[in-house]
Amino acid sequence: MSSVALNQPVPEFQAEATGDQTVRLSDLKGRNIVIYFYPKDNTPGCTTEGQDFRDRMEAFAAEDTEIFGVSRDGLKAHDNFRAKYDFPFHLISDKDESLCKLFDVIKLKKLYGKEHLGIERSTFLIDKEGVLRREWRGVKVKGHADEVLEAVKAL
């Protein structure tokens, strides 16, 4: 699987998500898709980011847009995280990092002076035809969901 490129079709993918869902890109054709990658369930930035998307869900839905959060956490952790914060969208478990690799979000990070490979907070906007239209890398959470919503409206 090669990684996605701006203004190119996103290769077909399939992933397991909360609520016993299997998410297939081909099943979502005809809708806009926001996929946001985040490091870990129940951490402050990741929780705030999820809440920001949740709080704008009606506006995204009005733009015919599906939202999916992705991390390497397992489905049980995702189900708990989703229920705890009442996220109306599904969370994808990417334990094998296949989606992370497709979107090239695994980066060398530093935490307390130690280096490790982790998910760089990133968001991708795929249009109704399955073409990648926008990407945000190294995302800062504050104001991000609003910026993504504006990009969806501009499609």
Side-chain angles (χ1 to χ4, degrees), residues 8-20:
Q8 295 298 313
V10 175
E12 175 65 26
F13 65 80
Q14 175 175 311
E16 299 306 307
T18 51
D20 287 328

Side-chain angles (χ1 to χ4, degrees), residues 2-3 23 29 31 47 58 63 70 72 75 90 97 107 115 128 131 142 145 151 155:
S2 62
S3 66
V23 176
K29 235 190 177 76
R31 308 206 62 192
T47 300
E58 221 172 87
E63 298 296 327
V70 182
R72 298 181 297 185
L75 286 173
H90 287 286
E97 298 180 352
K107 303 292 179 194
E115 290 185 335
K128 294 177 179 187
V131 174
K142 189 171 173 49
L155 283 179

Side-chain angles (χ1 to χ4, degrees), residues 11-17 21-29 33 68 92:
E12 175 65 26
F13 65 80
Q14 175 175 311
E16 299 306 307
Q21 300 283 315
T22 298
V23 176
R24 288 178 195 83
L25 182 61
S26 54
D27 292 345
L28 298 166
K29 235 190 177 76
I33 306 160
F68 296 96
I92 294 172

Side-chain angles (χ1 to χ4, degrees), residues 89-150:
F89 49 84
H90 287 286
L91 301 177
I92 294 172
S93 174
D94 194 31
K95 279 183 167 295
D96 69 358
E97 298 180 352
S98 59
L99 268 185
C100 288
K101 288 175 180 147
L102 177 64
F103 286 91
D104 191 29
V105 298
I106 300 291
K107 303 292 179 194
L108 194 59
K109 299 168 90 178
K110 267 194 174 149
L111 185 65
Y112 306 118
K114 290 194 176 12
E115 290 185 335
H116 69 284
L117 287 173
I119 292 179
E120 176 185 51
R121 193 180 305 280
S122 307
T123 302
F124 300 87
L125 173 56
I126 302 167
D127 72 11
K128 294 177 179 187
E129 302 303 314
V131 174
L132 180 65
R133 291 299 177 194
R134 289 285 306 269
E135 62 180 24
W136 294 263
R137 295 181 180 274
V139 166
K140 301 288 180 249
V141 173
K142 189 171 173 49
H144 179 61
D146 287 326
E147 192 180 331
V148 175
L149 182 57
E150 289 309 308

